[in-house]
Amino acid sequence: MAPPSPPSPSEQPATMNQDQSFVAERLATIAGKLTPPGRFAAGGPAAGLPNPLLRVAGVGDYLGWPVPGAQVEAVIASGAATRAPYGLGEATVTDAAVRDSWRVPPSRLTWDNPAWDGALAGLVADAAIALGVAPHVGAVLHNLLLYRPGGHFAAHTDTEKVAGMFGTLVVTMPSVYAGGALTVRHGEEAETFEGPAARLEVPTTPHWAAYYADCEHEVTPLTAGHRVVLVYNLVRPPTGGDSAVAAADNEGVTLPSPPVRGHGGSTAVLARFAREWAGYVDFPTTPTALLYLLDHKYTADGVGWGSLKGKDALLAAALRATPAPGGSGGGGSGGAFHLHLVTVHVHQQLGVGVDPAKWGYESPPRGAAGKTRACASRWAPPRCGGAPTESVAGTAASPATTLPLQGARIWIPP
Ligand SMILES: O=C(O)CCC(=O)C(=O)O
Ligand SMILES: [Fe+2]
C-alpha cells in the first residue's frame, strides 16, 4: 500500500468502526458490484454446425444425422467404445453408478466434412465470448461419448487435461432421447442444457454447452433413447495471449496483466478505497493485507494472472489498474495495491477466541485440540483437508516469489 494519508471527514464511511471489517467489507462490496465479462456456462442450438460425417474406426458407415440408436448400439458392440472412466483422486476408475456412458477416443474418429473445422471454430469463438474469455481459445477433441437409456454422469468437475485448459465444450449431436439434461452449477447459480431432443422429437440441429472446468456439472439419467456428444477441452495460451501486457509489479516481478477490459469506473472506487485504507492502517486492528477468496477454483498448475476466470479476472484487472494516491497510473510499481496470487493454507484452532486481525503472518492462533476450520487463500483456491496443523503457510502461485507478508495483519474472510 501507499503511505497513509489521513482521509478527510467527507471520505470517512458512515459506518466506520476502525476494526478489521471495514476494509474487508469495503473490498467485498466493490467486488460484488463488478459485472463479470461472461457467464460460467453458456449454450444452445448450434444451427451453424453441419454434419461432420463422423466415422468410428472399424464400424463402417458415417454416423447418421440424427444418429440412430441402433448405430450407437453397434458402435458399443463393435468394441470401439469402452466404458467411460472418471478420476478418483490420483486414480482413474469405472463405476456405472457414478458414470454410465461409453467413450470413443479421438484416435478412432475421423470426420470427413471439410466444413466442420471452420464451423466448429466459429462456435468456439462464440463460446469464448459467452464465457468472457480472451480471444485465441482453441478446442481439442477429448472424447465421443455415447449414452444409452439410463446413462448418466454424477456431479463432478473436469480435470485440466492439457496445459491451458480452462473449460469444456460439449456438442450434442442430433439423436432421439429423453432425460439426459446437462446441469452446470457455480456458487448459487445453475444452468441446464436440455440438448436437441428433450421431448423425444426427431432432431436435426446439434446443441452446444460450454462451461468453466471448475464448475460442478452432471448429466441426469436418460429415460429413453441414445445421447451422442463430442467433448472438447477448451484451451487458451497460459499467459492470456496477445492481450497479456507485461508489467512490473511492486516487487519488481514481471506479471502479465489479466486479459480483461471493462472494469471501467471501478478503479476510481478502488482508488478511494485505497485512500481510506491507508488512512486507517496505523490502527492496530486494521489489516495490512487482505485475503480475497477467488470466485473460481484453480489448480496450482492452472492459476496465473492470465488464466483467471470471470469475476476474478475482472477484479484483478481493476486492482492492477488502480493508481496509488497521487500516482499517475496503476498496474505497475505506481499502483495502489501489492497483489499476489497465492495459495494460503490456514488451519485455525477452535475454542480460543480467535481474533484474525491480530494474527501475524507466521503467528497463527494456538490452542485446543486441532480441527481444520478454515481454509483461505488470496487469489488462489483453498485447499482444504489434510492433517490439521498450527501453521499458516503461503505459496506464491504466480510467479514463484517470496511474499513480503511477514508480520502483516491479515484479514481472512469468514
Ligand atoms: O455428456 C456431457 O454432456 C458431459 C460429459 C462430461 O461431463 C465429461 O466428459 O466430463
Ligand atoms: Fe465433465
Side-chain angles (χ1 to χ4, degrees), residues 290-318:
L290 290 177
L291 290 157
Y292 181 85
L293 287 176
L294 291 172
D295 199 35
H296 283 272
K297 301 183 196 75
Y298 301 86
T299 59
D301 290 340
V303 70
W305 294 107
S307 56
L308 295 179
K309 303 169 184 172
K311 186 194 263 187
D312 300 335
L314 192 59
L315 179 60

Side-chain angles (χ1 to χ4, degrees), residues 99 101 142-143 145 147 153-154 156-159 161 168 170-172 180-182 209 211 217-219 227 229 231:
R99 184 180 197 184
S101 67
H142 180 56
N143 272 328
L145 293 181
Y147 292 80
F153 196 171
H156 67 283
T157 57
D158 290 345
T159 49
K161 295 154 196 111
T168 301
V170 175
V171 175
T172 312
L182 170 66
Y211 46 89
H217 54 282
E218 69 181 302
V219 179
R227 179 174 183 267
V229 300
V231 180

Side-chain angles (χ1 to χ4, degrees), residues 372-396:
T372 304
R373 187 184 143 200
C375 292
S377 67
R378 190 180 190 217
W379 299 114
R383 290 211 206 133
C384 300
T389 70
E390 289 196 339
S391 65
V392 179
T395 321

